[in-house]
Amino acid sequence: MLRGLYTAATGMMTEQIRTDTIANNLANVNTNGYKKDEMISEEFESVLLHRINDDSQQGSILDLQNIDTARKYLLKGTVAADEGGMAPSIGSLGRGAKVAEIAVVRDQGALENTGNKLDLAITGDGYFSVNTPQGVRYTRDGNFYRSAAGQLVTANNQAVLNTAGQAINLPPDTADINIGADGTVNAGGQNLGQIGLAGFADRGALLKEGDNLYRPQNGAQPQQAAGSIQQGWLERSNVNVAREMVELINNYRTYEADSKALVTQDSLLDKAVNDVGRVS
């Protein structure tokens, strides 16, 4: 019964993490370039159970497959559960659930036309490279501005980097800014460089860091991405609100079932301790 308590409890803890993941997705439904998270759960390694010294349905132990081996263990008074398939199998007993991974779903989000020349959307693979106090980070949020110093920056005043890893400087009082699909920036007939689009061979090489930024892990190195840039557009979040709400309801039902199983196991344990063992 104690195992049942732990099994139900691990299920509840797993579903709590799933609830937090769904809540975070819903909170970022209006965040530009946000990619939803999806929690993947798995079962703890199950235990294979066998009947020991049980002839209630098998007749004699000598009725098992290997008569000689059965006789050997019969003389010892035991039946081996792991030799030659001797003991009848009851089945597997699960030991609860655990979080295997919180994966990022990198599907393309819908594009929204803003008409702002400094709003950029990436179609296909790629990330904008930005300079932060922690080093170079990557984002899909193309809601950019011109800073007081004349640099192309994010909403958090982080410089957007070109293919050479340098900040892009925009001339003052220039409204005629054109950015091509390859990221080439032109203003007033002057070529100001090319916005770098970073890609990674292993899409799992990037980890979410917060503030809509990603950081590479395990020394992953960026390469030229195959995506293209659309000026005057923004990529919206790829979160589907209706789908997330359905998942939230389903998650609640699963949590509720685990909770009832926990209460039932506790009630059975209470009866076993206080009633079954009582001396009349």
Side-chain angles (χ1 to χ4, degrees), residues 228-246:
S228 60
I229 293 176
Q230 289 193 6
Q231 185 179 19
W233 295 74
L234 285 176
E235 181 187 10
R236 306 299 295 171
S237 167
N238 67 353
V239 175
N240 184 309
V241 177
R243 183 175 300 170
E244 294 299 309
M245 291 303 297
V246 170

Side-chain angles (χ1 to χ4, degrees), residues 35-48:
K35 302 302 179 185
K36 66 169 285 188
D37 292 324
E38 186 169 305
M39 197 204 80
I40 301 172
S41 59
E42 65 181 10
E43 182 186 9
F44 282 108
E45 184 180 358
S46 59
V47 178
L48 186 62

Side-chain angles (χ1 to χ4, degrees), residues 97-108:
K98 64 178 180 178
V99 178
E101 179 186 5
I102 297 182
V104 179
V105 179
R106 303 182 190 275
D107 296 340
Q108 179 83 42

Side-chain angles (χ1 to χ4, degrees), residues 70-250:
R71 183 178 292 108
K72 179 178 66 175
Y73 284 100
L74 181 61
L75 293 175
K76 294 181 179 179
T78 60
V79 176
D82 57 351
E83 293 199 31
M86 289 301 303
S89 173
I90 297 175
S92 59
L93 174 66
R95 294 192 287 180
K98 64 178 180 178
V99 178
E101 179 186 5
I102 297 182
V104 179
V105 179
R106 303 182 190 275
D107 296 340
Q108 179 83 42
L111 300 186
E112 178 183 4
N113 188 351
T114 66
N116 186 340
K117 288 185 174 295
L118 295 184
D119 283 342
L120 306 177
I122 300 174
T123 55
D125 181 50
Y127 298 86
F128 297 110
S129 302
V130 298
N131 190 29
T132 73
Q134 292 75 35
V136 177
R137 295 294 185 264
Y138 304 93
T139 183
R140 294 277 296 192
D141 184 1
N143 184 211
F144 299 143
Y145 300 87
R146 177 194 283 146
S147 69
Q151 293 181 341
L152 185 66
V153 298
T154 67
N156 293 324
N157 202 36
Q158 298 156 338
V160 181
L161 304 179
N162 60 20
T163 53
Q166 303 297 320
I168 298 173
N169 294 299
L170 303 175
D173 303 325
T174 302
D176 185 20
I177 299 175
N178 295 300
I179 302 175
D182 63 348
T184 302
V185 182
N186 288 282
Q190 181 182 1
N191 189 330
L192 304 179
Q194 183 180 7
I195 296 175
L197 280 188
F200 291 84
D202 180 10
R203 302 187 73 183
L206 291 179
L207 296 177
K208 286 187 175 182
E209 190 177 66
D211 290 331
N212 219 3
L213 298 175
Y214 296 84
R215 63 176 174 85
Q217 63 171 334
N218 299 328
Q221 295 298 317
Q223 59 190 21
Q224 183 63 33
S228 60
I229 293 176
Q230 289 193 6
Q231 185 179 19
W233 295 74
L234 285 176
E235 181 187 10
R236 306 299 295 171
S237 167
N238 67 353
V239 175
N240 184 309
V241 177
R243 183 175 300 170
E244 294 299 309
M245 291 303 297
V246 170
E247 287 293 329
L248 189 62
I249 295 172
N250 179 66

